[in-house]
Amino acid sequence: MAQLSVLLLRACLALLAMPIYLLSFLGIWEPFCEKIFFPYVLENLFGAHEIKAKPHKQELFRSLPSFRGPSGELKLLEIGTGPGANFQFYPAGCKVTCTDVSPNFQQGLLRNMGKNQHLHYERFLVAAGEDLRQVPSGSLDAVVSTFVLCSVGSVEQTLREVLRVLRPGGAFYFLEHVVDDPSSWKYFWQQVCFPTWKLIFCGCCLTREIWKNLEQAKFSELQLRHISIPLPWTPIQPHILGYAVK
């Protein structure tokens, strides 16, 4: 009965979003979403979520300096940098390599770079998390991903790339939204919204159990917590945060 309800409500939601489905069928929606809609949403509409996530990020990134390399420098790569919302949390002198699958966040990125001149910005790479071939193996002290693993093509391959580019003893920091408990109403609505949400928000998946991917990856240590950060009027609430050591 529950599965039937999910299918029925999915159909209703798809009907409401029919213009977007039509634009997608014509090959128009995806480039528009990537270049205009999604950058706008991240920089403006998700501001409330960033405010709620701020204390969690402050706590999460507090231990970053302890992963400095033997030279005393902290070389960090961020997967899916977007407009650079995390720059404010990185320690002074940190050498940052920015990566994103889309080059369309330049305005917000440059603005946040200007606000955070305590960092050294190495370069910007147009690259997916699953393919960081431009980054040498074992060259980084830390890799960061916040609200990115929900939309990569393969979480497993992304984590393999993270392990490759980290030096031994380096750390992967993460903060990601995940699927809710199957007994909850939020889980029900995640199932309902899943196909349309994924289309509208550039592949963002509501139903991933990312903590399981992290547990199965070949990290030597995993510090992970489940927390709640509700995003108003959306099926996003459960999150995981922590770090994993190579």
Side-chain angles (χ1 to χ4, degrees):
M1 185 65 181
Q3 187 59 35
L4 183 61
S5 299
V6 166
L7 293 175
L8 180 61
L9 289 170
R10 275 185 181 180
C12 294
L13 193 58
L15 189 62
L16 290 172
M18 187 56 67
I20 294 177
Y21 277 92
L22 179 59
L23 290 173
S24 177
F25 177 77
L26 296 173
I28 297 172
W29 174 253
E30 282 75 10
F32 170 78
C33 181
E34 182 180 317
K35 293 179 181 179
I36 299 173
F37 178 74
F38 198 55
Y40 176 83
V41 166
L42 280 187
E43 290 189 47
N44 298 280
L45 302 186
F46 280 177
H49 188 250
E50 279 294 332
I51 291 172
K52 291 183 177 182
K54 185 173 181 178
H56 297 288
K57 287 187 176 183
Q58 288 174 324
E59 178 188 358
L60 174 65
F61 294 126
R62 192 171 293 134
S63 62
L64 265 174
S66 64
F67 289 99
R68 295 183 190 275
S71 66
E73 296 179 333
L74 180 66
K75 296 180 180 179
L76 179 150
L77 177 143
E78 183 170 349
I79 299 173
T81 305
N86 291 329
F87 292 160
Q88 61 183 302
F89 305 109
Y90 297 157
C94 178
K95 293 188 173 181
V96 181
T97 296
C98 305
T99 73
D100 205 290
V101 71
S102 170
N104 299 302
F105 294 96
Q106 293 298 329
Q107 185 175 354
L109 188 63
L110 291 172
R111 183 168 59 251
N112 277 313
M113 283 180 171
K115 290 179 181 178
N116 295 279
Q117 296 187 20
H118 64 291
L119 305 177
H120 298 295
Y121 300 100
E122 298 281 89
R123 53 179 176 161
F124 178 87
L125 303 175
V126 178
E130 305 96 311
D131 184 6
L132 300 172
R133 69 180 70 181
Q134 301 174 72
V135 183
S137 299
S139 62
L140 297 165
D141 303 304
V143 175
V144 171
S145 164
T146 61
F147 313 123
V148 173
L149 295 181
C150 60
S151 57
V152 298
S154 168
V155 177
E156 293 85 355
Q157 177 58 25
T158 300
L159 294 179
R160 282 195 289 269
E161 278 291 84
V162 168
L163 280 163
R164 181 186 64 80
V165 301
L166 279 173
R167 63 166 176 81
F172 172 55
Y173 280 76
F174 54 87
L175 171 57
E176 302 286 348
H177 68 81
V178 293
V179 69
D180 212 326
D181 185 279
S183 64
S184 68
W185 272 109
K186 189 73 72 174
Y187 176 85
F188 174 81
W189 286 110
Q190 285 177 332
Q191 299 300 315
V192 169
C193 296
F194 169 66
T196 299
W197 181 278
K198 187 175 182 180
L199 173 65
I200 293 176
F201 295 107
C202 283
C204 176
C205 183
L206 294 168
T207 58
R208 288 185 172 172
E209 300 173 317
I210 298 172
W211 69 91
K212 292 185 178 180
N213 300 114
L214 286 159
E215 289 167 353
Q216 293 164 5
K218 296 179 180 179
F219 290 102
S220 63
E221 177 188 347
L222 176 61
Q223 299 289 333
L224 183 150
R225 287 197 297 122
H226 290 259
I227 62 170
S228 176
I229 309 177
L231 184 58
W233 308 106
T234 77
I236 292 177
Q237 182 166 339
H239 292 66
I240 57 170
L241 88 166
Y243 65 86
V245 180
K246 178 176 176 179

